[in-house]
Each structure stands twice: as structure tokens, then as C-alpha cells.
Amino acid sequence: MQRFGEIVQWSDWELPWLNHHAPHPPPELHFDANQYDAEVARLEADRWRRAHP
């Protein structure tokens, strides 16, 4: 995962099962950085709420 300004990019996959189950890695993915940050924060808050009921 890399951040380029307002874009978050997932690429250069390192998957141990890749050679055995799929001939090619998943495609490169791009996300809006602000939306990505908001989703990460939401997931972290949800995880914290589940661990501390």
C-alpha cells in the first residue's frame, strides 16, 4: 500500500498461494485517500467497541 497525495494505491501483491491457484496477481487498486482514512478510522473504532463492550 502506498499513498500518493490524495490517492491510496494497493499494488505489488505478495501472495504465497498465487503460483498455485492463480496465474496473475490481483489488479492494482486505487482509493480516494480521504475516504480510505475515514473507513480505516471507522473500522478501528468498531474493533475497539467490540473489544470493550
Side-chain angles (χ1 to χ4, degrees):
M1 183 195 74
Q2 297 181 52
R3 183 180 293 258
F4 299 101
E6 295 299 315
I7 300 293
V8 172
Q9 174 185 318
W10 287 8
S11 62
D12 300 324
W13 304 95
E14 294 182 16
L15 304 171
W17 51 266
L18 186 62
N19 292 334
H20 303 290
H21 300 288
H24 305 289
E28 189 172 280
L29 301 173
H30 298 95
F31 305 95
D32 175 84
N34 292 326
Q35 290 176 336
Y36 187 88
D37 291 342
E39 186 63 14
V40 169
R42 185 189 70 77
L43 291 169
E44 287 176 347
D46 186 53
R47 183 176 67 177
W48 187 88
R49 279 192 295 273
R50 289 178 189 223
H52 302 93

